[in-house]
Amino acid sequence: MKKILLFIAFIFTCNLVTSQIDAGSVIGLPTAQNNTEMNNITGATEGSFLYNVAEKNIYFFNGTSWTAPTNSFTNIYSSNGTLLGPRTLNGGGNSLVFNNLNVLQFFSNGATQLFATGALQLGSTGNSTQISGALGLTLTATSNGITLNGNTVLNNNLRVVGSFSDSSSNAGTTGQVLSSTGTGTQWVDPNLAEIINKTASYTLTSVDNGKVFTFNSATDVTLNVPAGLPVGFNISIYQINTGKIEIAGAGGVTVLNRLSRFKTAGKDAGAGLLCTSTNNFHLTGDLKR
């Protein structure tokens, strides 16, 4: 019982003494304002200590030079170092943010991995974001694929193991070619003219190039040729009913025919129209006045 009481009294006395220490009781070290002042000290004996204000560190004199203790007072904010074994940083659900870094570099003797359970973003407000590999670069997405936003430039060959999809996510069928729609792409059959069926008068547009027009009308109709169609623009025209088709140029457009015939001759008659120079068209075929 006496031993227990003495132990309790000892603990109380230690706490009382500790709580009575104030700033005036702390022992200070001699200071040097910077490395120059520290290294200019003469007559220091081996084992002497001082505090370097600029380095915010304690230095000791080893008999030749002033040295910072390597085990107790250095850290990654003031000194370089080498890991002595594997280390793991557990964020505990907190964030790790690097601000105002000039350069951030990772050099690895083996594989380097960046992994996120959420979105992973690599971006730059500079000229470009570069990802390169000496033996190639593999981008893998297991679910929704890889989406590139913005223009993409390839400076070398492109090999696709799978298929190309057009703007409608259509992979096309055997023998089709990928064609531009002006705002996207579309798989189309090669060398097959698009048939356009009309039952009334119509004015051509630039997207009609290469098409075949059939007019199924019991009364005469007019195919109007506007100005501004590109040189090389060409179409085919077929009358499949009793109504004739007159090919007429708008203001500034000249339609030429050797015999000045500009109407289809009758049912099942056909004609061809070709822009041979700016706003000049030649018309050939089964025609009449």
Side-chain angles (χ1 to χ4, degrees), residues 139 145-154:
L139 300 177
I146 298 172
T147 300
L148 300 177
N149 294 318
N151 296 328
T152 303
V153 178
L154 297 177

Side-chain angles (χ1 to χ4, degrees), residues 25-37:
S25 302
V26 176
I27 298 175
L29 292 175
T31 62
Q33 295 302 311
N34 48 50
N35 289 338
T36 301
E37 183 177 338

